[in-house]
Amino acid sequence: NYGIGSDGRVGMYVEEKNRAWTSSNADNDNQAVTIEVANDVIGGNWHVSDKALAKLIDLCTDICKRNGIKKLNFTGDKNGNLTMHKYFAATACPGAYLESKFPYIANEVNKRLAKNSENSLDDDLALLVKKGVINTPSYWKTKAPTVQYLPELIHKMALALR
């Protein structure tokens, strides 16, 4: 779906709602958002630039937020929601360097998602007040932790109003 250059520029080549035919696996391609990252060294460990790695973390965070993914789960196999091309085809992709960064990528994305979720309930409630949907945010903030689906419902209502 996306490509990231060594300079950190991002291109979207296939919309997320469409299959990118990237991982050589129909089941995976029909549910995955795929990202190709340019190498800044050919061969060896297939190194990627610091700019590309930073942009990859930014993009993964953005994709998770927009798709309601609360945690990036790297399991080291195709069972997590952060996977590698080599799990689905006979390839060395993404290369040794980027492969070694997957736990770090998941950790960095999850830190950002956790930080965002702490603030998002307050932000979502403020938007619902501003739009006249609710008038007692303190009530909803108190109730949200006690009702399993309520924070997600509040967030979806706020997203619909943005």
Side-chain angles (χ1 to χ4, degrees), residues 86-147:
K86 74 181 213 165
Y87 297 160
F88 305 98
T91 179
C93 183
Y97 177 77
L98 196 53
E99 180 178 352
S100 75
K101 295 294 184 184
F102 270 53
Y104 168 76
I105 293 165
N107 187 48
E108 290 301 306
V109 170
N110 289 333
K111 278 194 237 176
R112 294 178 186 190
L113 293 174
K115 181 178 181 187
N116 184 58
S117 68
E118 291 169 8
N119 299 328
S120 67
L121 181 61
D122 288 334
D123 295 342
D124 290 344
L125 289 170
L127 178 63
L128 294 176
V129 169
K130 181 178 178 181
K131 296 289 186 173
V133 177
I134 63 171
N135 61 7
T136 53
S138 58
Y139 171 81
W140 294 101
K141 188 171 183 174
T142 303
K143 288 293 180 189
T146 65
V147 180

Side-chain angles (χ1 to χ4, degrees), residues 2-162:
Y2 294 95
I4 301 175
S6 291
D7 60 359
R9 290 186 301 157
V10 175
M12 182 178 68
Y13 302 101
V14 178
E15 289 187 45
E16 289 180 22
K17 67 181 180 179
N18 297 321
R19 179 178 175 190
W21 297 82
T22 310
S23 71
S24 309
N25 180 283
D27 289 337
N28 184 65
D29 286 341
N30 281 318
Q31 64 181 344
V33 175
T34 59
I35 306 168
E36 291 288 332
V37 182
N39 303 101
D40 61 353
V41 175
I42 303 296
N45 286 336
W46 297 95
H47 189 269
V48 300
S49 70
D50 291 344
K51 284 183 181 181
L53 182 59
K55 188 54 75 172
L56 177 59
I57 293 166
D58 291 344
L59 181 58
C60 287
T61 303
D62 179 61
I63 290 167
C64 288
K65 286 179 183 177
R66 287 185 289 102
N67 289 283
I69 299 168
K70 297 180 191 289
K71 183 176 182 186
L72 204 52
N73 184 19
F74 177 65
T75 60
D77 58 27
K78 61 184 174 183
N79 294 314
N81 62 5
L82 176 61
T83 61
M84 299 179 204
H85 187 186
K86 74 181 213 165
Y87 297 160
F88 305 98
T91 179
C93 183
Y97 177 77
L98 196 53
E99 180 178 352
S100 75
K101 295 294 184 184
F102 270 53
Y104 168 76
I105 293 165
N107 187 48
E108 290 301 306
V109 170
N110 289 333
K111 278 194 237 176
R112 294 178 186 190
L113 293 174
K115 181 178 181 187
N116 184 58
S117 68
E118 291 169 8
N119 299 328
S120 67
L121 181 61
D122 288 334
D123 295 342
D124 290 344
L125 289 170
L127 178 63
L128 294 176
V129 169
K130 181 178 178 181
K131 296 289 186 173
V133 177
I134 63 171
N135 61 7
T136 53
S138 58
Y139 171 81
W140 294 101
K141 188 171 183 174
T142 303
K143 288 293 180 189
T146 65
V147 180
Q148 182 177 357
Y149 64 86
L150 195 53
E152 184 177 353
L153 177 63
I154 290 168
H155 184 64
K156 286 183 178 183
M157 289 171 51
L159 284 176
L161 295 170
R162 285 193 169 97

